[in-house]
Amino acid sequence: MTGLHWGILATGGIAHAFTSDLRTAGLDVTAVGSRSTESARAFAEQYGIPHAHGSYEELVSDPDVDIVYIATPHPGHVENALLALDHGKHVLVEKPFTLNAAEAAVIRDRAAQTGLLAMEAMWTRYLPHMVRIREILAEGTLGEIRVVSADHTQKISTDPGHRLNALELGGGALLDLGIYPISFAVDVLGLPERITAFARLSDAGSDAEVATVFVHPGGALSTTVSSSRGAGANVAQIVGTEARLEIDRVWYTPTTFRVVTPDGSVREEFDGAVEGRGMQYQALAAERLVAAGATSSDILSIDDTIAIMGVLDEVRRQIGVVYPSER
């Protein structure tokens, strides 16, 4: 750990989850910023944070803050990240990194100009079970990978004004939920060479369900399903010629998995249980990267983040979802 002083930008549910895990890991949360002084003070009191700021500008201007966690809805990510970078702060930006690849590239370029770390908070990639899975893949235990499948399905409010349904807030299952299995498929198989997507849209025009089929280098296939209208199993698997890897529910959180050979024998079992929710691992990685002088993550580089946003852009093109700010 580098002893970085964290600032939390926004005080919604994901900010609470992240800050709780920072406290679990013993990391230093120095300040919180909200558009409401009242909200910032309540958040600071709950987590024992010394400084509460009534605006994002005050937060990023705080000389005691080294790195800012961007926890606003994703339409605000590019503006908030640039604000922090321009004030000399490293940024960990909640996923999805931005609304689209073009916005993500703007953040990357500004971070490069300032020599600061810009990193997507795709916390799943940093969890212990995912670290072990990448080791197993590198060891060749599964043989040639043929198929990856994963889903992220939840039953969420159908209220048109809910953030996940409102297009002006970047609503839809794809960016909030589908990014998890799609990022996972890219992590295992690389970027897709062919993309096919299908969706069911809500009355508001946002994507309520999305299914994708990708063809990756070498011909490997991946399938993903995301939905905000019903809760499914939320499991994942990697199928190779020598064995398969089954990740239990909820696969994108700390969980268990097993490696199973074609005859049904279990070759390895792994229990990824951790203290807290597990969001502290991405923060620990960010601190390590800053200490090394890096401006991009070695587990999910900023260029990979942009490329994955490009995949999501193509999926949205095929299913006909455009956000108001893109028109």
Side-chain angles (χ1 to χ4, degrees):
M1 295 189 299
T2 61
L4 290 180
H5 304 305
W6 286 84
I8 310 298
L9 192 149
T11 55
I14 196 69
H16 280 272
F18 180 73
T19 303
S20 177
D21 279 351
L22 289 187
R23 286 300 192 213
T24 295
L27 301 187
D28 188 343
V29 187
T30 296
V32 58
S34 171
R35 291 174 297 183
S36 159
T37 300
E38 207 172 84
S39 178
R41 286 175 177 169
F43 193 97
E45 183 177 352
Q46 181 173 349
Y47 297 103
I49 300 172
H51 306 300
H53 299 292
S55 73
Y56 301 151
E57 290 79 6
E58 288 181 17
L59 172 69
V60 299
S61 299
D62 189 328
D64 291 334
V65 172
D66 301 311
I67 183 168
V68 173
Y69 171 65
I70 308 292
T72 48
H74 32 282
H77 286 180
V78 63
E79 177 183 355
N80 300 149
L82 294 179
L83 180 68
L85 290 167
D86 286 345
H87 282 80
K89 314 301 185 186
H90 305 281
V91 291
L92 176 64
V93 183
E94 187 51 50
K95 47 107 274 295
F97 195 67
T98 49
L99 278 179
N100 52 50
E103 288 186 354
V106 170
I107 296 176
R108 174 199 59 194
D109 294 346
R110 188 68 58 85
Q113 292 167 3
T114 56
L116 296 164
L117 174 71
M119 174 175 150
E120 182 182 7
M122 177 47 74
W123 61 292
T124 298
R125 288 215 185 187
Y126 300 87
L127 293 173
H129 73 292
M130 286 297 173
V131 173
R132 178 57 189 146
I133 286 169
R134 284 193 292 272
E135 292 171 350
I136 290 170
L137 293 172
E139 292 161 4
T141 302
L142 306 186
E144 179 192 352
I145 306 304
R146 305 291 294 184
V147 175
V148 170
S149 62
D151 69 310
H152 188 174
T153 52
Q154 297 186 31
K155 185 173 177 58
I156 298 172
S157 172
T158 58
D159 179 358
H162 188 281
R163 181 184 64 80
L164 208 73
N165 302 318
L167 281 176
E168 65 273 15
L169 297 177
L174 180 68
L175 261 61
D176 263 276
L177 308 179
I179 188 171
Y180 282 92
I182 288 174
S183 184
F184 174 63
V186 172
D187 193 15
V188 176
L189 295 174
L191 288 166
E193 296 178 337
R194 292 172 57 193
I195 297 171
T196 306
F198 307 91
R200 178 185 295 179
L201 303 186
S202 71
D203 292 340
S206 60
D207 45 292
E209 279 98 19
V210 182
T212 68
V213 178
F214 297 161
V215 181
H216 299 261
L221 301 176
S222 71
T223 62
T224 78
V225 175
S226 56
S227 174
S228 60
R229 293 294 189 264
N234 290 321
V235 295
Q237 68 172 343
I238 304 170
V239 180
T241 53
E242 301 302 319
R244 69 181 182 273
L245 194 150
E246 302 172 342
I247 314 176
D248 297 318
R249 72 181 314 274
V250 172
W251 70 266
Y252 49 84
T253 69
T255 189
T256 53
F257 73 76
R258 71 200 57 79
V259 176
V260 184
T261 60
D263 66 3
S265 301
V266 176
R267 180 166 178 173
E268 177 180 340
E269 291 185 272
F270 185 91
D271 185 347
V274 304
E275 188 177 3
R277 192 181 186 208
M279 299 185 81
Q280 64 268 34
Y281 291 96
Q282 62 182 346
L284 291 167
E287 295 215 356
R288 172 178 57 82
L289 291 163
V290 169
T295 58
S296 179
S297 171
D298 49 353
I299 290 177
L300 177 58
S301 73
I302 188 70
D303 286 334
D304 286 344
T305 286
I306 294 169
I308 291 169
M309 291 306 308
V311 172
L312 300 180
D313 288 351
E314 173 58 20
V315 170
R316 285 198 297 115
R317 187 193 69 79
Q318 291 189 23
I319 65 176
V321 172
V322 179
Y323 301 119
S325 64
E326 296 175 317
R327 293 193 177 102

